[in-house]
Amino acid sequence: QLVQSGGPSAQPGGSLRLSCKFTGRTIGSTCMAWFRQAPGKEREGVAALLDDGTTTYADAVKGRFIITKDDINNTLSLQMNDLKLEDSAMYQCAAGHFRLRCDGSSPELFPYWGLGTQVPVSS
């Protein structure tokens, strides 16, 4: 299972940190990612992390968001800085035991998903 926490809300220019605890069979996942979906929009990959440390970010969040993994506590995090109104969405963590195409472009490859955390960014 992937247990999410974080939020709850922020203003433009602010910061938030989301966390995702790995338990059970999700421990040892080789590809981990964060996805988001805003109302009326398709789900998009925000950031991905391969177990060798390789990271991939969506253009919209490059330089603002950072994906990291705490291997001791089996926790994946997404540090979101300089938030914008358009960052408002439901954020989900995802994980899987694969390496090819671990860039957040293929959500169908991920077997494990967190329940989601609503992140409202408003002024």
Side-chain angles (χ1 to χ4, degrees), residues 69-86:
K69 174 83 183 304
D70 179 345
D71 290 325
I72 295 177
N73 295 303
N74 289 311
T75 301
L76 181 73
S77 295
L78 183 68
Q79 178 66 40
M80 303 185 291
N81 302 316
D82 190 22
L83 284 162
K84 304 179 184 298
L85 294 175
E86 53 265 38

Side-chain angles (χ1 to χ4, degrees), residues 45-48 55-63 65-68 78 103:
V46 174
T55 56
T56 306
Y57 294 94
D59 289 342
V61 306
K62 279 181 181 176
F65 290 13
I66 302 172
I67 184 172
T68 56
L78 183 68
D103 56 10

Side-chain angles (χ1 to χ4, degrees), residues 8-122:
S9 64
Q11 293 182 329
S15 297
L16 280 177
R17 187 178 184 87
L18 302 180
S19 295
C20 180
K21 176 76 172 179
F22 287 54
T23 63
R25 65 181 65 184
T26 64
I27 295 174
S29 293
T30 51
C31 181
M32 297 144 282
W34 288 94
F35 291 83
R36 70 183 181 186
Q37 186 167 20
K41 294 187 177 181
E42 292 187 357
R43 180 166 55 189
E44 63 172 338
V46 174
L49 173 65
L50 198 53
D51 61 347
D52 67 357
T54 302
T55 56
T56 306
Y57 294 94
D59 289 342
V61 306
K62 279 181 181 176
R64 300 190 297 121
F65 290 13
I66 302 172
I67 184 172
T68 56
K69 174 83 183 304
D70 179 345
D71 290 325
I72 295 177
N73 295 303
N74 289 311
T75 301
L76 181 73
S77 295
L78 183 68
Q79 178 66 40
M80 303 185 291
N81 302 316
D82 190 22
L83 284 162
K84 304 179 184 298
L85 294 175
E86 53 265 38
D87 292 322
S88 295
M90 172 71 79
Y91 285 74
Q92 286 182 282
C93 58
H97 300 278
F98 63 93
R99 290 189 171 85
L100 293 179
R101 293 168 62 191
C102 178
D103 56 10
S105 65
S106 304
E108 69 277 8
L109 297 179
F110 292 84
Y112 311 121
W113 289 84
L115 293 179
T117 300
Q118 194 69 40
V119 176
V121 181
S122 62

